[in-house]
Amino acid sequence: MNNGLDDVVATETVMSDVDGLAGRLVIRGHSLDDLAGRHRYDEVVALLLAGFFEDLPGEQELAPRLGAARAEVFDALVPASAGLGQLPVTEALRAAMAPLADGEDLATALRLIAAPAVLVPALIRQRRGQQPVAPEAGAGHAADILRMLHGKAAAHEAAAALDTYLVTVSDHGLNASTFTARVVASTHAGLVSAILAALSALKGPLHGGAPGPVLDMLDGIGAPEEAEAWLEASLDKGERLMGFGHRIYRVRDPRAEALKRSVRALVAGGEQTEGRLALAEAVEAAATRILARRKPDRPLQINVEFYTALLLEALGFPRESFTGVFAMGRVAGWIGHAREQTLYGRLIRPQSRYVGPRPEQAA
């Protein structure tokens, strides 16, 4: 019996391959290095959904369709979300998306991709006492998200960084939320049901909730020269270092390097302070040395969450919204997996082993 399903192969997929030993991520036949920073999220959405919808348009035609879906979602869902502003952002996002009609068609898929992109900025603004900003259907997906968040056009470096982030997290093997999406999809419940279930799994702190605490850690350390002592003291107290270690990767998470490059570009463009990056790099170096010494048999490198925290902070997202922003990127991967499961898979129904008490046998 495998309590965490480690190394259990539950399905065959064309979506992505995570090579934990080599530190390599392949998405629909392309390495992450070929996609992140080179392609817009709109283009990767077309890649992720290819073969799962008969009427899927090409890359050039998909972007305006996605823009139209953002406008549709804003009109349909944002007015009703006004009363959700006091909920945590991810819980408010889940509630705001719930009225979407279930379906298996491309229109449903595009509404689901548009929903977090529109609703997360709206919810953040509502929590601040500001009015939501309507989307611009002709804008790029990432650029429009930042415009809806800040109420003004985004700098090129900022839009490019968000595009890189959304692409980087768009799919990543059979993680908890993706497996949840496939389980629900296997019942033919519909895409909305599958994606809301996946979002609920992502909400858990062991899956999508760690980038915010990375910033708490950096705030607690304060300066590069304090990193070593702070980290040693934290480990002495039995605390976990946020942004380090991964269930699959035994080497450096390739997504971390892609995001670090984007953070450097934000520094060069004046969107992030050089001091914040210097602090993060000092913490990364110190933690890597300390963990190698303390846990020589368990490789612990930075994961995707470490530089995600700096990137999303620089783009102006409050840390309590980070899981919702994660969902903006991962939703296309969830949809691809859900459609793959519906089209080619069976009802997921594993067995369990009963270890509870037995009724007394009759004499």
Side-chain angles (χ1 to χ4, degrees):
M1 198 276 290
N2 191 325
N3 195 25
L5 301 184
D6 290 2
D7 302 321
V8 172
V9 176
T11 191
E12 292 183 338
T13 182
V14 300
M15 291 295 293
S16 62
D17 180 47
V18 183
D19 187 337
L21 295 178
R24 187 163 48 238
L25 171 60
V26 174
I27 298 175
R28 294 303 297 260
H30 300 266
S31 73
L32 179 64
D33 286 343
D34 290 337
L35 295 176
R38 300 172 185 266
H39 293 271
R40 298 190 317 274
Y41 183 67
D42 322 58
E43 297 169 338
V44 174
V45 167
L47 179 69
L48 289 167
L49 302 188
F52 299 135
F53 299 95
E54 291 183 358
D55 55 342
L56 182 72
E59 292 176 2
Q60 300 304 316
E61 295 81 15
L62 185 65
R65 291 278 299 275
L66 186 53
R70 291 195 301 274
E72 179 186 352
V73 165
F74 185 89
D75 292 341
L77 300 184
V78 168
S81 72
L84 302 174
Q86 299 311 307
L87 288 174
V89 173
T90 307
E91 292 181 18
L93 173 63
R94 182 177 58 189
M97 290 175 63
L100 289 172
D102 246 323
E104 294 285 355
D105 59 341
L106 179 62
T108 300
L110 293 179
R111 283 192 289 270
L112 283 166
I113 295 168
V118 168
L119 288 167
V120 170
L123 291 165
I124 292 170
R125 290 181 67 86
Q126 287 166 351
R127 287 167 67 89
R128 294 170 174 170
Q130 300 171 323
Q131 288 297 313
V133 175
E136 189 176 285
H141 195 66
D144 205 23
I145 290 168
L146 293 175
R147 194 187 62 81
M148 287 187 283
L149 177 64
H150 297 300
K152 61 181 181 180
H156 171 75
E157 294 84 1
L162 183 56
D163 256 324
T164 297
Y165 173 71
L166 297 176
V167 169
T168 297
V169 301
S170 61
D171 198 53
H172 195 252
L174 208 57
N175 55 80
S177 58
T178 297
F179 186 59
T180 299
R182 293 192 77 121
V183 170
V184 176
S186 80
T187 73
H188 290 204
L191 283 173
V192 174
S193 295
I195 271 53
L196 289 177
L199 179 60
S200 297
L202 185 69
K203 174 179 172 288
L206 295 185
H207 186 14
V214 169
L215 295 181
D216 297 337
M217 179 178 69
L218 295 179
D219 291 344
I221 294 171
E225 60 271 17
E226 302 295 331
E228 194 114 12
W230 193 98
L231 295 168
E232 293 276 16
S234 180
L235 289 171
D236 287 343
K237 290 184 285 187
E239 296 174 351
R240 179 186 167 201
L241 301 186
M242 305 311 297
F244 289 84
H246 192 275
R247 182 78 166 261
I248 303 298
Y249 291 115
R250 292 298 172 260
V251 293
R252 187 181 179 87
D253 187 333
R255 300 170 299 171
E257 194 56 45
L259 296 178
K260 187 174 183 178
R261 288 195 298 268
S262 285
V263 172
R264 286 194 177 123
L266 287 172
V267 170
E271 301 292 321
Q272 169 68 289
T273 65
E274 191 169 352
R276 192 66 159 165
L277 177 58
L279 172 60
E281 289 178 327
V283 171
E284 177 189 358
T288 301
R289 289 193 303 270
I290 294 168
L291 291 170
R293 186 181 73 248
R294 289 186 174 227
K295 302 177 185 293
D297 298 327
R298 186 184 173 197
L300 291 170
Q301 302 279 339
I302 60 167
N303 58 39
V304 66
E305 294 156 347
F306 191 82
Y307 284 104
T308 286
L310 265 71
L311 188 148
L312 296 185
E313 177 186 52
L315 295 179
F317 290 100
R319 59 192 71 181
E320 67 270 15
S321 73
F322 286 1
T323 300
V325 184
F326 193 131
M328 290 181 193
R330 184 57 59 84
V331 63
W334 288 336
I335 291 168
H337 277 275
R339 286 294 291 158
E340 185 178 53
Q341 184 66 40
T342 301
L343 291 170
Y344 309 115
R346 299 180 62 200
L347 174 68
I348 295 175
R349 177 56 169 91
Q351 296 293 317
S352 60
R353 179 183 299 144
Y354 179 68
V355 295
R358 298 280 181 184
E360 293 183 11
Q361 299 293 321

